[in-house]
Amino acid sequence: MGASVRSAWRALRANLLRSLLTMLGIIIGVAAVITMIAVGQGATERVQEYMKVLGSNIMLVLPGGANAGGVRQGAQTAQGLTEEDAKAIALEVPEVQVAAPNSRATVQAVYGNSNWSTPVFGATNDYLEARDWPLESGRMFETAELQGAAKVALIGKTVARELFGEQDPIDQVVRLRSVPVTIVGVLSAKGQNSWGSDQDDIMLVPMSTFRNRLQGDTSGRVKRVSTISVKVRDGADMKVAEESITELLRQRFRVQPGADEPFRIRNLTEMLQTQEASSRTMTLLLSAVAGVSLIVGGIGIMNIMLVSVMERTREIGLRMAVGARGRDILAQFLIEAVTLSLIGGAVGVLLGAVATWAVGEFAGWKVSMTLDSIVLAAGFAAGVGVFFGFYPAHKASRMMPIDALRRE
């Protein structure tokens, strides 16, 4: 075996330029496969990160659009959702872990000489549970604060940075529409969501505070909310939960059979899972296209090896005449083909690593180059060498010594 390897290496060095050109297809193929897998894996990981920061098993219940004169109006123009709807969902749908009502408005927050326009949510502690959103410091709302429209708030990391800088926000007072609120907690960092919005740019106040003090609705007859965030229990079927919520709300809204629902349910987890599946499918497709380069490179190896066999016919005959067996000749040419593939694969791995870095650095995409992709590409390259190198090697091993020596 050692003699065969040395002989194969000498043969490749004797035609160095031809060997390099033959390896070019393998180099490009391996580099393309590694880069495409890295890009696809990066896209998949980004979706998984979005799912993590969003919270698991999340659905949003939103008011739908009303019909006026046969014209479909915009979103949230139909009958509004209420806190009672959220309570009914939490109590009557067994798949639901928590249903958190919330409303939103953009408010200018003022602290000393600093001010910051931020989304303010009227919410309950259930909202944090639904979003899997722990506190970094401070505490959550107390029951008396939720019921009594207390002037307290929780803030995100972005609001804390913009208003307080390095100062501790806890127990500081911020003015919202001339209403002084005391910061009692700071939320942990969430980062951007899948739509590019900063989730840490947020302030939470009790729902009663939002309604009575910020919106000025003191009647309290109908406790309207803009959204209900629903978290489904682990292991529960999201589709079953969605159907149960739809049926419950149709009953509460007294929707006639066949009529459109005056609400919408958005299954965010399902949307992100679909996006993740699409990313994986695209990765496989791009990798398959890149794999064509490896096939083309393998065909090039077979062609060159056939030419090499023809050029070295007399050498083959001479070796067999002095005692070399067919399997020795087979091993020699097969080793040459595999060596071409492995060297091309090694160079392709380096080129793929550089290309992956360039995509992440200059295109700004998230990429993830894994050991599995390197092993897959290199293994496929070696397999190409064996597959496409076998026929020329087998042809050389089947030659008759006397016929080989007669060949000019």
Side-chain angles (χ1 to χ4, degrees):
M1 179 60 71
S4 297
V5 173
R6 289 191 295 272
S7 178
W9 182 246
R10 285 195 299 269
L12 295 176
R13 289 181 59 189
N15 298 280
L16 186 59
L17 181 59
R18 187 170 71 181
S19 298
L20 291 175
L21 293 175
T22 303
M23 289 186 293
L24 191 59
I26 299 295
I27 293 172
I28 294 174
V30 169
V33 168
I34 288 177
T35 305
M36 291 302 100
I37 291 178
V39 171
Q41 182 66 25
T44 300
E45 289 182 2
R46 169 162 285 188
V47 173
Q48 291 172 346
E49 289 175 2
Y50 288 153
M51 293 178 67
K52 183 177 179 181
V53 300
L54 176 67
S56 59
N57 303 337
I58 290 292
M59 289 188 290
L60 296 182
V61 183
L62 305 166
N67 284 314
V71 178
R72 187 71 168 174
Q73 303 298 306
Q76 303 193 30
T77 57
Q79 180 181 350
L81 298 168
T82 67
E83 291 186 43
E84 296 302 321
D85 294 325
K87 291 178 182 178
I89 292 172
L91 291 175
E92 299 183 35
V93 180
E95 292 82 10
V96 171
Q97 177 177 330
V98 65
N102 56 87
S103 295
R104 168 178 169 160
T106 300
V107 179
Q108 197 78 14
V110 180
Y111 173 75
N113 295 326
S114 302
N115 66 87
W116 183 252
S117 180
T118 184
V120 176
F121 282 74
T124 65
N125 292 329
D126 289 340
Y127 181 80
L128 301 181
E129 182 178 353
R131 294 289 310 278
D132 291 330
W133 206 340
L135 293 177
E136 182 180 273
S137 61
R139 61 172 178 83
M140 295 192 293
F141 299 132
E142 297 176 351
T143 303
E145 293 171 339
L146 292 169
Q147 296 175 349
K151 293 180 283 188
V152 293
L154 308 175
I155 60 174
K157 295 290 290 183
T158 299
V159 178
R161 182 183 66 248
E162 296 296 335
L163 289 181
F164 301 100
E166 299 298 324
Q167 184 180 356
D168 184 7
I170 303 299
D171 294 331
Q172 302 298 326
V173 177
V174 174
R175 301 188 69 84
L176 302 175
R177 294 180 179 171
S178 301
V179 177
V181 296
T182 302
I183 307 302
V184 297
V186 178
L187 302 170
S188 61
K190 273 277 189 179
Q192 290 186 342
N193 60 20
S194 57
W195 301 280
S197 299
D198 183 5
Q199 296 185 100
D200 298 317
D201 188 5
I202 187 174
M203 180 177 289
L204 303 180
V205 298
M207 181 65 74
S208 56
T209 305
F210 182 89
R211 182 183 301 109
N212 299 340
R213 300 186 184 277
L214 296 184
Q215 289 189 321
D217 180 8
T218 59
S219 64
R221 291 193 302 269
V222 181
K223 298 179 179 179
R224 300 289 188 194
V225 297
S226 60
T227 309
I228 300 175
S229 300
V230 178
K231 181 175 183 179
V232 178
R233 298 183 188 278
D234 291 338
D237 192 313
M238 294 283 287
K239 197 66 178 178
V240 171
E242 183 176 348
E243 292 172 354
S244 298
I245 294 171
T246 300
E247 183 62 29
L248 173 63
L249 291 180
R250 285 182 68 91
Q251 294 175 7
R252 292 183 60 84
F253 282 70
R254 295 182 176 87
V255 180
Q256 296 299 317
D260 293 335
E261 294 96 356
F263 57 85
R264 295 179 296 120
I265 298 179
R266 295 177 59 189
N267 190 333
L268 301 185
T269 303
E270 187 176 83
M271 291 169 57
L272 290 175
Q273 287 174 343
T274 301
Q275 187 176 346
E276 182 180 11
S278 299
S279 297
R280 289 176 176 172
T281 301
M282 186 59 66
T283 300
L284 291 175
L285 178 61
L286 293 175
S287 299
V289 172
V292 172
S293 297
L294 285 173
I295 303 298
V296 173
I299 294 173
I301 288 177
M302 183 169 66
N303 289 337
I304 293 301
M305 293 307 300
L306 285 172
V307 171
S308 180
V309 168
M310 295 298 295
E311 291 177 345
R312 296 158 62 188
T313 300
R314 289 179 61 83
E315 174 192 334
I316 295 170
L318 183 61
R319 290 193 62 194
M320 298 183 76
V322 297
R325 292 165 294 183
R327 62 184 182 185
D328 298 323
I329 303 299
L330 177 70
Q332 177 185 350
F333 283 92
L334 199 57
I335 289 171
E336 289 184 23
V338 173
T339 301
L340 281 171
S341 295
L342 289 178
I343 295 175
V347 177
V349 168
L350 294 176
L351 183 60
V354 172
T356 299
W357 172 83
V359 169
E361 186 72 18
F362 298 109
W365 295 357
K366 181 178 177 60
V367 292
S368 178
M369 183 174 174
T370 63
L371 181 61
D372 290 343
S373 64
I374 296 175
V375 172
L376 175 64
F380 192 50
V384 164
V386 173
F387 181 81
F388 288 98
F390 182 80
Y391 175 72
H394 179 71
K395 182 177 180 180
S397 68
R398 300 286 292 178
M399 286 185 178
M400 297 300 293
I402 186 66
D403 293 333
L405 288 171
R406 287 175 179 170
R407 188 73 59 86
E408 293 294 335

